[in-house]
Amino acid sequence: MEYTIDELARVADTTVRSVRVYHERGLLPSPDVRGRIGYYDVNHLSRLQTISRLLSRGMKLNGIRELLEAWDRGDGLAEILGVPDQPDDSAPTPAAPPAPSPELPEYMHKALATTDPLEAYRLANPRCCDLATRLIDAGLPASAAFSLVERFRIDVDQAVDRYASELFFHLAGKPFEQSERGPGDRNDFETNIAIARLMTNRAAAELVDQVLSRHTEPQSSDPAP
C-alpha cells in the first residue's frame, strides 16, 4: 500500500510538518518520488509509528535517530546497548575506582570567558546552570560555583554510566533475544528501550532525593517515645 505525505500523516495520526522534520533529522527514509509526488509505504508508516511511540515515552529525536541508525546498520544488541553479548550473571560487575576530579572542561572555560557565563553554560547544561546560578546568588564566585556543579555532574555521570548498560540489557535487550524477533518484537524492543530510560531516570531522581533529604531534614535530638 502507498501513501502520499498527507495520507501518511493522517494514518499515523501525526502532521505533515512532523513527517518533514523527521526527514530532515534523518529519522525517516525518503519516499519513492515519481514525477513531483513522493509515495510512502508500510515501512515508512511503521517507522513513523515507532518514532511517535518513543517520543511519547520521553525519548528525544537525537536518541531515537541513533537507535534507529544502529538498528538499520544491523548492529547487534551488544553494540546498540553497549554490553557484552553474554554477560556473566554469576558475578557482580566490580565498581570502578573513583576518578580524580578533572580540570574544568573546555566549554566551561569558554563560558567563564564570556560576558554572560551563565547563559553560555546554560546551553550545555540547563539544569546544572540553574544550580550554579543559585550558588552564585548565594555569594559563591562563578568559577567556584561552576567547579562545584561540574564535580557533582561528573560523579552522577559515572554512577549512571556504571549501571545503565546492564539495566537496559535486562529490561529491553534480553527479552528481545528470547523472542522470535519479528516486526512486533522489534516494536516491543524499541518501546522497552524508551520505558527503561524513563523508569531508570525516575528511579535515579528518587534516590538522589532520598540522599538530599538526609542532608536537609532536621534531625531530632529528642529520645524516641
Side-chain angles (χ1 to χ4, degrees):
M1 187 171 185
E2 293 184 331
Y3 310 90
T4 64
I5 190 170
D6 297 279
E7 293 169 340
L8 179 69
R10 184 173 64 255
V11 172
D13 194 24
T14 187
T15 65
V16 170
R17 182 177 181 276
S18 294
V19 174
R20 291 189 173 126
V21 168
Y22 300 154
H23 277 309
E24 295 170 359
R25 301 291 291 273
L27 283 82
L28 196 65
S30 298
D32 179 20
V33 179
R34 298 196 293 271
R36 301 184 62 180
I37 301 176
Y39 292 94
Y40 301 80
D41 57 24
V42 292
N43 292 323
H44 289 96
L45 176 60
S46 177
R47 175 66 66 95
L48 190 56
Q49 291 171 332
T50 295
I51 294 169
S52 297
R53 186 167 57 250
L54 295 178
L55 284 171
S56 71
R57 286 165 172 78
M59 285 195 72
K60 304 297 184 183
L61 288 180
N62 287 341
I64 296 174
R65 186 185 67 245
E66 292 174 1
L67 176 64
L68 296 179
E69 285 177 349
W71 192 276
D72 291 339
R73 289 195 303 268
D75 291 351
L77 288 177
E79 295 171 276
I80 295 174
L81 299 176
V83 297
D85 287 328
Q86 295 180 340
D88 184 5
D89 296 330
S90 62
T93 303
S101 297
E103 297 294 329
L104 294 180
E106 182 62 26
Y107 69 82
M108 290 186 65
H109 286 294
K110 291 180 179 179
L112 288 169
T114 64
T115 57
D116 188 355
L118 287 176
E119 185 60 32
Y121 190 38
R122 184 174 289 110
L123 296 176
N125 297 292
R127 296 296 176 264
C128 289
C129 181
D130 292 342
L131 181 57
T133 301
R134 190 70 175 176
L135 289 168
I136 293 172
D137 290 343
L140 199 64
S143 58
F146 286 156
S147 179
L148 176 58
V149 173
E150 185 65 13
R151 285 186 282 119
F152 177 60
R153 184 196 65 78
I154 290 171
D155 285 345
V156 171
D157 181 87
Q158 291 174 345
V160 174
D161 195 51
R162 189 177 303 160
Y163 298 103
S165 294
E166 188 174 357
L167 288 168
F168 278 25
F169 178 79
H170 288 292
L171 292 172
K174 197 170 184 179
F176 180 78
E177 285 192 337
Q178 296 172 346
S179 71
E180 296 181 358
R181 308 193 186 191
D185 298 316
R186 171 183 170 175
N187 289 339
D188 289 342
F189 167 70
E190 294 167 345
T191 300
N192 286 338
I193 283 285
I195 294 174
R197 179 173 176 176
L198 181 62
M199 293 180 66
T200 303
N201 189 10
R202 289 178 174 176
E206 180 181 272
L207 294 174
V208 170
D209 186 64
Q210 290 175 0
V211 175
L212 293 176
S213 294
R214 294 201 298 268
H215 288 268
T216 56
E217 292 180 355
Q219 301 295 320
S220 175
S221 58
D222 298 332

